[in-house]
Amino acid sequence: MTVAEPHRIKSVEPLHMPTAAEREEAISRAGYNTFLLRSEEVYIDLLTDSGTSAMSDSQWSALMTGDEAYAGSSSFYRLEEAVRAVYGFQHVVPTHQGRGAEHILSQIAIKPGQYVPGNMYFTTTRAHQELAGGIFEDVIVDEAHDPQSRHPFKGDVDLGKLERLIDRVGAQNIAYVNVAVTVNMAGGQPVSMANLRATHYLCRRHGILLWCDATRCVENAYFIKEREQGYAGRTVASILHEMMAYFDGCTMSGKKDCLVNIGGFLALNDESLLRRARELVVLFEGMPTYGGLAGRDMAAMAQGIHEMVDDAYIAHRVHQVRYLGERLIAAGVPIVEPIGGHAVFVDAARFLPHLPRERFPAQALAAALYLDSGVRAMERGTVSAGRDPNTGRDRIPRLELVRLTIPRRVYTDRHLDVVAESVVGLYRHGESVRGLRMTYEPPTLRFFTARFEPAPEERHLRLCDGK
């Protein structure tokens, strides 16, 4: 059965398709890094689903009711009520976006030298953990590193790996366990309720805090409804509430599930942690009742929190991502399976087998896709993984991916047809995509601002020989 958009369109934004010559000039000026393209140079923008959602009429109305008081804003209390009702946590500390919450959590919860196990790393999360002196340890199930595995819950924590780490370093040397729902770097893969429950009990037995990266928790709840026995008849809202009950708190980027363009928060129950978080939010973000956000942004986020758990909305959201993924699978394009909730992840290592990892195949493929069709995607592979701080060498993750990220309530399936046709065309002539070398590398989170050029032996060739 076709799953149609559960909304009507009442405002449109014109799109412009730059010419082939304009695209070639733009990607060269951007150092073959799609993050450095200007938005007006992009036709269909699948760089990220962060802050790119289309807000509802109710959210636009909420903007006009925002209370811009410096302290004690009524918009904060509206946000607090929404977090309590939907997530179940008693306290909320607003931040300018998710990485603000990650920074504060890392500072209050990590002592230098402590381990922070998690179900695969995320770039900004690990950066903040390491800046606080923490040591990331991957405890995700092995299936998560296999793009061809169809395990329904590839985000699950491997309880054996976690228990062995606890035995090796001692519970006192673990700051907290961080579980992302869903797991972005694994391809938007969910965690099962059974695994959350088991991880909760394991952490309780050892006296270890269990923290959630809840950025795409609604998509995770939907996959539980679809895939886990006993949940088919439950609402997404009730599943999400149960998920959050297994955690001591969460960091949240409101720019994803909460359907807003800016904002995030920490949510938690422990009052001693709350006091320490509020002390730091004053230093780094703003007053505890605005945390770097305007009142209107908190009001829009509060409304978005209620909208995000609408079953019709999230069903269409997941099915639209699936629509693109199934088109690519039908054409033989290698992608991460099962298809995730926020993006289709193209397996660049299998897509471009002629390129070694030191030629950054995912980065090269993202640039080639833009050159071909004006579609902007992003690299999730060796560039994103960064360098090992101890050896100075590139981390080489098992997954070398290009993420085609679908903004919420923005594009139609016809836009995704354009994307699919471009990806399929490139796949049929994959040998024409040339490798890259890095010409500028920032010290942290290099994928945002690094610059590249065609590899020296190929400098006389265009990045993509073809149309």
Side-chain angles (χ1 to χ4, degrees):
M1 180 179 176
T2 300
V3 180
E5 288 82 359
H7 54 260
R8 295 181 296 195
I9 298 169
K10 60 195 298 186
S11 180
V12 297
E13 178 184 354
L15 295 176
H16 165 68
M17 169 58 120
T19 67
E22 289 171 337
R23 299 195 300 272
E24 187 170 5
E25 191 279 330
I27 198 67
S28 177
R29 176 169 28 82
Y32 298 90
N33 186 344
T34 53
F35 275 95
L36 301 181
L37 291 167
R38 299 171 183 170
S39 63
E40 63 267 22
E41 296 167 338
V42 175
Y43 177 45
I44 296 175
D45 201 344
L46 306 188
L47 184 74
T48 182
D49 61 333
S50 180
T52 58
S53 300
M55 292 202 303
S56 69
D57 53 357
S58 296
Q59 287 180 287
W60 283 106
S61 297
L63 285 175
M64 300 305 296
T65 66
D67 177 8
E68 305 304 341
Y70 187 83
S73 165
S74 61
S75 296
F76 165 77
Y77 295 105
R78 184 176 173 185
L79 174 62
E80 184 180 60
E81 178 278 328
V83 171
R84 286 175 174 172
V86 175
Y87 293 84
F89 297 111
Q90 287 303 299
H91 306 297
V92 59
V93 180
T95 58
H96 74 284
Q97 61 181 37
R99 71 192 61 172
E102 292 170 346
H103 170 65
I104 291 171
L105 173 63
S106 298
Q107 293 297 314
I108 65 174
I110 299 173
K111 297 175 183 176
Q114 284 188 314
Y115 287 81
V116 190
N119 56 340
M120 200 174 284
Y121 81 98
F122 182 66
T123 50
T124 60
T125 311
R126 186 176 65 188
H128 287 299
Q129 291 167 351
E130 291 177 347
L131 285 170
I135 304 166
F136 170 77
E137 183 86 9
D138 189 2
V139 293
I140 202 167
V141 294
D142 289 340
E143 290 87 346
H145 296 282
D146 178 3
Q148 296 175 275
S149 168
R150 295 194 58 82
H151 189 293
F153 292 104
K154 290 164 75 171
D156 279 358
V157 173
D158 186 318
L159 298 173
K161 290 180 183 177
L162 179 55
E163 194 120 44
R164 287 191 292 275
L165 176 67
I166 295 170
D167 291 342
R168 177 165 60 88
V169 304
Q172 73 279 7
N173 290 316
I174 294 179
Y176 55 90
V177 176
N178 193 72
V179 176
V181 290
T182 57
V183 182
N184 188 356
M185 302 300 282
Q189 301 299 317
V191 183
S192 68
M193 193 74 81
N195 188 256
L196 290 178
R197 191 180 301 117
T199 305
H200 165 82
Y201 289 131
L202 175 59
C203 289
R204 282 293 169 274
R205 190 164 73 248
H206 292 282
I208 299 171
L209 290 175
L210 179 59
W211 210 267
C212 180
D213 177 346
T215 294
R216 298 181 180 89
C217 56
V218 183
E219 293 163 13
N220 201 106
Y222 184 83
F223 283 127
I224 289 174
K225 180 181 176 72
E226 272 197 329
R227 301 176 185 176
E228 194 161 357
Q229 187 174 0
Y231 289 91
R234 295 268 299 272
T235 64
V236 167
S238 71
I239 295 170
L240 175 61
H241 209 274
E242 181 182 344
M243 287 169 54
M244 292 299 108
Y246 294 118
F247 293 100
D248 293 290
C250 75
T251 56
M252 185 68 195
S253 171
K255 297 167 68 176
K256 283 86 168 177
D257 272 349
C258 299
L259 301 167
V260 289
N261 306 126
I262 198 68
F265 58 81
L266 273 89
L268 65 165
N269 293 320
D270 186 272
E271 293 196 2
S272 63
L273 281 175
L274 174 68
R275 284 194 297 273
R276 293 167 63 195
R278 284 178 170 170
E279 290 167 2
L280 283 188
V281 84
V282 170
L283 181 62
F284 292 109
E285 301 277 333
M287 279 291 290
T289 51
Y290 79 86
L293 293 174
R296 56 186 174 270
D297 295 319
M298 290 189 288
M301 184 155 57
Q303 176 63 28
I305 287 172
H306 289 291
E307 292 181 11
M308 73 183 189
V309 290
D310 175 75
D311 281 9
Y313 152 72
I314 189 60
H316 174 263
R317 161 71 175 158
V318 173
H319 280 267
Q320 188 177 49
V321 176
R322 196 169 289 161
Y323 172 80
L324 174 59
E326 288 174 349
R327 281 213 55 180
L328 298 183
I329 290 171
V333 175
I335 68 170
V336 173
E337 297 184 63
I339 300 164
H342 70 291
V344 175
F345 289 73
V346 178
D347 186 348
R350 285 190 288 154
F351 195 110
L352 304 174
H354 63 288
L355 292 185
R357 298 295 287 276
E358 61 267 23
R359 288 291 180 251
F360 308 117
Q363 190 75 37
L365 180 56
L369 178 63
Y370 171 76
L371 271 171
D372 184 69
S373 59
V375 173
R376 174 158 66 169
M378 72 171 296
E379 182 268 2
R380 277 296 183 228
T382 305
V383 178
S384 291
R387 292 185 181 273
D388 186 304
N390 297 316
T391 67
R393 296 176 180 171
D394 281 332
R395 295 184 175 107
I396 306 296
R398 289 175 62 183
L399 297 175
E400 181 77 11
L401 309 174
V402 170
R403 192 180 78 179
L404 305 169
T405 330
I406 314 301
R408 296 163 181 83
R409 306 190 295 203
V410 172
Y411 292 115
T412 69
D413 290 353
R414 299 294 75 74
H415 292 105
L416 301 187
D417 287 339
V418 172
V419 177
E421 290 166 6
S422 180
V423 174
V424 171
L426 283 170
Y427 181 58
R428 289 172 179 165
H429 302 91
E431 69 283 353
S432 67
V433 178
R434 305 302 179 180
L436 298 172
R437 76 165 189 173
M438 196 178 300
T439 61
Y440 165 69
E441 180 178 3
T444 58
L445 298 175
R446 64 186 187 178
F447 63 95
F448 283 124
T449 57
R451 300 182 70 85
F452 305 84
E453 68 178 9
E457 64 272 20
E458 299 154 348
R459 195 173 297 166
H460 64 286
L461 296 169
R462 291 178 56 180
L463 182 66
C464 178
D465 294 339
K467 68 177 182 180

